[in-house]
Amino acid sequence: MADRGGHPGAAGRAPEAGRPDRVRNVALVGHSGAGKTTLVEALLSATGTIQRPGRVEDGSTVSDFDEVEVRQQRSVNLALAPFMHGDVKVNLIDTPGYADFVGDLRAGLRAADAALFVISAVDGIDGLTRLLWEECAAVGMPRAVVITKIDQQRGDFDDVVLTCQDVFGEGVLPCYFPVGAGDELKGLIGLLTQRCFDYSSGERVECAPDPSFLGQIEEQRGALIEGIIQESEDEGLMDRYLAGEDIDVKALIEDLETAVARGSFYPVLATSVPHGDHPGPVIGIQELLEVITQAFPSPLEHGIPPVTAVTGGPPKNIECDPEGPLVAEVVKTTSDPYVGRISLVRVFSGTLRPDTVVHVSGHGLEDRGHEDHDVDERVGALTSPLGKTQRTISACRAGDICAVAKLSRAESGDTLSDPGNPLLMAPWSMPDPLLPVAIRAHSKADEDKLSQALGRLVAEDPTLRLENNSETRQLVLWCMGEAHADVLIDRLRTRYGVEVERVDLRVPLRETFGGSAKGLGRHVKQSGGHGQYGICHVDIEPLASGEGFEFVDKIVGGVIPRQFIPSVEKGIKQQMSRGVASGYPLVDIKVTLRDGKAHSVDSSDMAFQAAGALALKDAAAKVPVLLLEPVDEVAVLVSDDYVGPVMSDLTSRRGRVLGSESIPGGRTMIKAEVPQLEIIRYAIDLRSMSQGTGTFSRTFLRYEPLPSHLADKVAAESKDD
């Protein structure tokens, strides 16, 4: 490709795009340690956006500025890094590479028009990267691959390319290949231009390639050209190429953009950036900038997610037009105790301006603590974030991304639109958080601040679900994994000054009768004045699992007045909710009220409620009371390579494997019934067992008797409590 170069932008000055076709929104995707953050630094430095690149080891990078990221030396947040190259504005979206933070990654993909997969020449492709590639394929996201660390001794560019082709498909083709390897790495050869870019002097020098590479150039160039022109709109171009005609490089570059935008051709780039103990020259950054600005699709080419009226109805015909109706989406929300709420927003249509009123719509996440809301709010200042630095801009036009201040109700995933024409964008899919973590405030002062702090965390993180379990009286954070939980607890402490402790999670158990029994409830008190009198006799028998509670009235002769029979039932129900043995709710019993006594003066509603409760407890003392545990139906999706270990593991968890089903792509869906007590940490264990590729879902099925040895343990613990 021709080198168009880039005009260094003044540091601290926000780049602005005049038209949507001059914007490129690119999400960096790849596993942790592949070099995404280091690549961002190199691109910002090469375009003059920053004076010198920071280092992950020093905590000085633009995109990893959160205290947790600096401390852990890995990305846990989505971060925006915009820069100018020529007259094109590039919004780089650096996404986390760890599975626990896939929510930010999916948000980054929603805001992007193309995904750049960053793959280490040393480590290759991991299971998570494969899954992310499939996610992008499912939504038609244009993709390219950049292979990093090609200067390292264990780095093998050719081997990683072959692996990419095997995993991602034949559409993966290199546009460049390295000259030399390891410490002998000198530069790159461009296959379209057939030119060598030599970096051995520390500067990029264009020259003719060594004749020894001509055979390799010819072979790989042919495959690249064929891959490009298969997607060309010029149907005669392939015939001309096969006839031996030399195709103009400019035409090939134009067709390259078409091929990438269609999401069926994936160019491969190569880079080497100084890092750690490898202080060598920066190689491949200019070439990568050329591909991003010349071959990646603009917002005009990628399309807009479905948009409807807030009240529903057919999709609206919305285009990426700065003069069109306002349609923008909150990609990510962050809260700061001092600055307030800041929303990162992708504008899909129209133009967003400061100090204007917008309609904020949020729907579809009630199960995660996000109530449906439709409110009008005034937009504060608009800024273009560069890491933690906010640079003021005058407007944000269709296709661009900005940060918006002072939207107090806006949450991640919300739609911003014109109050006179409120609209709603279809939400992007979010994975279910499946790791429950029970917490409690460290002190009364922390307890007072905890509710507000958790509300802010829920607003900014759609993958977090907050549960206040009334049965177990525990506050539970449903997280994506252990690292996600650690970050949330760390943020409560450092950002909001709230100390919390992790406690053992209690699973809500149930009690039921192990046989039939008769019970007497006698509540008779006389202490002067108006007394209390209520006596009832009941027969109790167990019901089948899931049948609940049945009350039968067999009173004859008016021994208990009709108005007090509901009182007996009410007292029994209240005692059932409190339990009769270990303090867990009692279920699946039939109660027959067969006899009793009343007093013309002292009987009352409260007296017969108390009698009913006593009758239930009396019957429970005469038969075994069984503990029931909740059982979930679990569906586990894993690679075929891990089916055996996963099935064995489910069995070891007292699970019953119901069967398996082959899924296209070399995967298997395993269905099983597993007690909830055994899968509290299954999200972590499955990830470890399947090298990060396994996923699962769970649905409550029924209650079953808890094995006696576990029931005795629970009973002993309940007495200690």
Side-chain angles (χ1 to χ4, degrees):
M1 288 186 177
D3 179 14
R4 294 179 56 184
H7 300 290
R13 181 179 174 185
E16 294 194 44
R19 310 192 311 264
D21 65 330
R22 310 318 294 162
V23 177
R24 301 292 183 269
N25 297 310
V26 182
L28 297 186
V29 179
H31 65 80
S32 186
K36 298 186 300 297
T37 301
T38 301
L39 188 63
V40 171
E41 294 297 306
L43 289 166
L44 293 176
S45 177
T47 54
T49 309
I50 58 176
Q51 305 219 342
R52 64 190 183 94
R55 285 164 36 98
V56 173
E57 298 85 352
D58 300 335
S60 57
T61 63
V62 167
S63 54
D64 285 357
F65 57 86
D66 188 282
E67 288 182 11
V68 177
E69 294 174 314
V70 172
R71 201 161 50 246
Q72 297 184 0
Q73 295 190 5
R74 68 176 176 187
S75 301
V76 301
N77 297 311
L78 176 153
L80 184 67
F83 61 81
M84 294 295 296
H85 183 68
D87 61 348
V88 175
K89 179 185 179 183
V90 178
N91 287 315
L92 271 186
I93 305 167
D94 187 14
T95 65
Y98 198 67
D100 281 20
F101 309 108
V102 69
D104 268 31
L105 186 143
R106 290 191 182 180
L109 291 176
R110 177 64 164 231
D113 300 305
L116 182 62
F117 276 73
V118 183
I119 297 173
S120 165
V122 176
D123 303 317
I125 301 173
D126 70 342
L128 178 62
T129 305
R130 298 181 188 215
L131 293 178
L132 296 177
W133 186 274
E134 292 173 6
E135 284 195 22
C136 289
V139 298
M141 173 69 75
R143 282 149 282 164
V145 175
V146 57
I147 298 175
T148 59
K149 305 182 183 179
I150 60 172
D151 59 327
Q152 293 200 14
Q153 293 295 335
R154 294 187 298 114
D156 191 328
F157 176 83
D158 294 334
D159 183 61
V160 173
V161 169
L162 290 174
T163 303
C164 289
Q165 291 171 339
D166 180 56
V167 174
F168 300 152
E170 296 179 354
V172 177
L173 292 167
C175 292
Y176 299 86
F177 68 83
V179 178
D183 294 337
E184 301 299 318
L185 181 67
K186 293 182 171 57
L188 303 172
I189 290 179
L191 293 173
L192 291 184
T193 60
Q194 303 182 77
R195 301 291 289 172
C196 177
F197 302 100
D198 191 335
Y199 288 85
S200 56
S201 65
E203 299 290 333
R204 184 180 192 245
V205 178
E206 184 177 342
C207 58
D210 188 282
S212 62
F213 290 108
L214 294 180
Q216 185 177 356
I217 292 172
E218 182 178 355
E219 178 185 355
Q220 296 193 26
R221 186 173 192 266
L224 175 63
I225 292 175
E226 288 181 21
I228 292 173
I229 62 181
Q230 280 178 357
E231 302 296 329
S232 175
E233 296 178 353
D234 184 350
E235 297 180 357
L237 194 58
M238 179 64 81
D239 294 333
R240 287 161 47 200
Y241 171 70
L242 294 176
E245 182 177 331
D246 191 16
I247 308 299
D248 181 57
V249 171
K250 184 177 180 181
L252 288 173
I253 291 173
E254 292 175 355
D255 284 333
L256 174 61
E257 181 181 7
T258 301
V260 173
R262 287 180 175 174
S264 55
F265 175 81
Y266 320 107
V268 180
L269 290 303
T271 62
S272 168
V273 178
H275 56 279
D277 298 328
H278 296 268
V282 176
I283 294 176
I285 295 301
Q286 285 299 327
E287 290 78 6
L288 177 58
L289 285 167
E290 292 166 14
V291 171
I292 289 174
T293 54
Q294 297 180 47
F296 277 23
S298 73
L300 297 174
E301 299 166 279
H302 187 226
I304 294 175
V307 178
T308 63
V310 170
T311 54
K316 304 282 186 180
N317 184 22
I318 302 293
E319 297 180 351
C320 183
D321 179 4
E323 303 302 321
L326 177 64
V327 181
E329 189 169 43
V330 179
V331 177
K332 182 174 176 62
T333 300
T334 56
S335 299
D336 186 278
Y338 306 105
V339 178
R341 188 171 294 187
I342 298 176
S343 304
L344 189 66
V345 172
R346 162 74 192 263
V347 180
F348 287 93
S349 172
T351 299
L352 187 63
R353 303 185 188 281
D355 202 35
T356 57
V357 177
V358 298
H359 185 78
V360 181
S361 300
H363 297 265
L365 287 173
E366 302 97 322
D367 61 327
R368 301 195 185 188
H370 302 256
E371 340 180 300
D372 285 356
H373 50 275
D374 285 289
V375 295
D376 290 348
E377 289 199 79
R378 185 174 296 278
V379 171
L382 300 186
T383 58
S384 176
L386 179 63
K388 63 182 176 182
T389 304
Q390 301 289 340
R391 302 165 299 173
T392 303
I393 56 175
S394 59
C396 187
R397 298 170 182 82
D400 210 348
I401 302 173
C402 69
V404 180
K406 296 184 180 179
L407 289 178
S408 60
R409 288 296 306 276
E411 300 179 355
S412 299
D414 283 3
T415 305
L416 309 183
S417 57
D418 191 312
N421 182 25
L423 300 171
L424 183 67
M425 298 195 80
W428 67 83
S429 66
M430 277 291 176
D432 291 325
L434 293 170
L435 177 68
V437 176
I439 62 170
R440 67 183 174 200
H442 182 70
S443 66
K444 181 64 171 68
D446 292 313
E447 189 174 336
D448 294 339
K449 297 184 290 184
L450 182 58
S451 177
Q452 184 179 14
L454 286 174
R456 291 180 175 179
L457 287 181
V458 168
E460 64 187 61
D461 187 353
T463 62
L464 168 64
R465 180 160 62 87
L466 183 63
E467 176 190 6
N468 206 332
N469 194 306
S470 57
E471 284 190 40
T472 64
R473 298 184 294 279
Q474 284 190 317
L475 187 61
V476 182
L477 305 180
W478 285 85
C479 309
M480 297 301 300
E482 194 68 41
H484 187 207
D486 288 344
V487 166
L488 292 171
I489 292 172
D490 189 281
R491 282 183 178 153
L492 285 173
R493 178 178 57 83
T494 59
R495 188 182 292 178
Y496 301 109
V498 180
E499 292 280 356
V500 297
E501 301 168 345
R502 294 176 66 155
V503 295
D504 291 338
L505 181 79
R506 300 192 195 109
V507 171
L509 304 179
R510 295 287 186 269
E511 298 174 353
T512 195
F513 273 45
S516 299
K518 299 181 184 299
L520 166 63
R522 178 183 175 86
H523 184 71
V524 177
K525 291 187 177 181
Q526 190 71 45
S527 56
H530 193 63
Q532 299 181 52
Y533 192 98
I535 298 175
C536 63
H537 296 268
V538 298
D539 295 337
I540 299 179
E541 56 187 295
L543 296 176
S545 176
E547 291 193 11
F549 171 68
E550 183 181 347
F551 183 80
V552 178
D553 170 21
K554 285 193 175 180
I555 294 297
V556 293
V559 293
I560 297 179
R562 305 309 303 172
Q563 69 266 28
F564 295 138
I565 291 175
S567 303
V568 175
E569 181 181 4
K570 183 176 181 181
I572 291 171
K573 284 182 175 179
Q574 289 176 343
Q575 187 60 51
M576 286 177 66
S577 68
R578 295 190 292 267
V580 293
S582 301
Y584 295 103
L586 183 69
V587 296
D588 299 332
I589 58 170
K590 177 181 177 180
V591 178
T592 301
L593 177 61
R594 59 180 174 82
D595 199 1
K597 291 183 180 179
H599 190 279
S600 59
V601 175
D602 293 341
S603 289
S604 65
D605 170 63
M606 292 304 297
F608 274 99
Q609 282 191 43
L614 290 170
L616 181 65
K617 290 198 289 186
D618 182 55
K622 300 172 182 176
V623 294
V625 176
L626 305 179
L627 274 180
L628 304 177
E629 62 177 337
V631 176
D632 284 354
E633 183 176 67
V634 176
V636 186
L637 182 62
V638 291
S639 168
D640 292 343
D641 298 336
Y642 305 109
V643 170
V646 168
M647 282 188 172
S648 298
D649 178 73
L650 289 171
T651 302
S652 72
R653 296 172 186 269
R654 299 190 285 121
R656 292 184 291 272
V657 176
L658 304 177
S660 61
E661 176 187 354
S662 293
I663 304 295
R667 290 179 296 176
T668 298
M669 177 71 77
I670 304 166
K671 291 193 175 180
E673 296 176 356
V674 191
Q676 284 186 14
L677 283 167
E678 303 291 340
I679 55 173
I680 291 174
R681 294 179 61 82
Y682 192 59
I684 300 170
D685 298 337
L686 176 62
R687 186 177 298 164
S688 174
M689 204 183 324
S690 63
Q691 302 297 310
T693 62
T695 59
F696 79 103
S697 61
R698 54 189 284 185
T699 306
F700 171 73
L701 195 59
R702 61 178 174 270
Y703 278 89
E704 291 184 354
L706 187 67
S708 57
H709 68 284
L710 294 176
D712 293 342
K713 180 181 177 182
V714 170
E717 290 174 350
S718 66
K719 289 179 182 177
D720 293 340
D721 292 342

